[in-house]
Amino acid sequence: MKILIVDDSGVMRRIHKNTLLEQHVKDEDITEAPDGASALEIAERETFELFLVDWNMPRLDGLSFVKHLRASEKYAKTPIIMITSEAAKYNVMEAIKAGVTNYVVKPVRGNTLWEKIKDYVK
């Protein structure tokens, strides 16, 4: 299963990746991107079955990235988990309207993250 982690924080990408690796997701199935613009370029070249996306990023924020994915036929139904510090109810509703599958508020522990994504990982 190919997974794209999109976060401008290298530390957060490493934490998410380690959570996946601890659950036996193969390293070669995990790709990382530092912002939404880079992630869009990668997603056009490759095919992913799950996205883990931060909201606040340079160049293209996570919400805009989600909207771009949902507008494409290729990713119209692909699971997208937003992992962000944006905890306000308005933000959660905005992300859901944009098409996120699930929403996790930072800081998040590995077990909590795994509980949110395990149903999407094959």
Side-chain angles (χ1 to χ4, degrees):
M1 164 173 238
K2 300 277 289 172
I3 300 168
L4 181 57
I5 301 171
V6 188
D7 198 308
D8 60 319
S9 167
V11 171
M12 291 308 302
R13 290 194 310 270
R14 171 56 56 193
I15 290 169
H16 301 334
K17 184 174 184 175
N18 285 342
T19 297
L20 294 167
L21 293 172
E22 288 169 5
Q23 298 300 326
H24 310 291
V25 175
K26 296 177 187 169
D27 186 59
E28 61 267 17
D29 288 339
I30 303 169
T31 304
E32 300 177 38
D35 58 65
S38 299
L40 276 179
E41 292 170 9
I42 294 167
E44 288 173 6
R45 290 192 314 263
E46 301 178 41
T47 300
F48 295 92
E49 298 163 284
L50 175 65
F51 294 90
L52 305 180
V53 183
D54 184 26
W55 186 313
N56 296 306
M57 297 180 289
R59 296 192 345 135
L60 184 67
D61 64 80
L63 190 64
S64 298
F65 174 73
V66 169
K67 290 176 181 178
H68 280 286
L69 286 182
R70 290 301 186 223
S72 77
E73 188 174 315
K74 182 177 180 180
Y75 294 117
K77 296 188 189 271
T78 304
I80 304 170
I81 312 297
M82 184 160 282
I83 307 167
T84 180
S85 58
E86 299 294 335
K89 186 175 182 177
Y90 169 81
N91 295 108
V92 175
M93 296 308 294
E94 187 77 12
I96 290 170
K97 279 178 35 182
V100 300
T101 311
N102 214 324
Y103 196 94
V104 182
V105 177
K106 292 178 186 176
V108 60
R109 295 177 187 251
N111 291 345
T112 302
L113 178 59
W114 182 248
E115 285 299 314
K116 293 286 188 174
I117 66 175
K118 70 180 181 182
D119 293 335
Y120 308 108
V121 177
K122 299 173 191 165

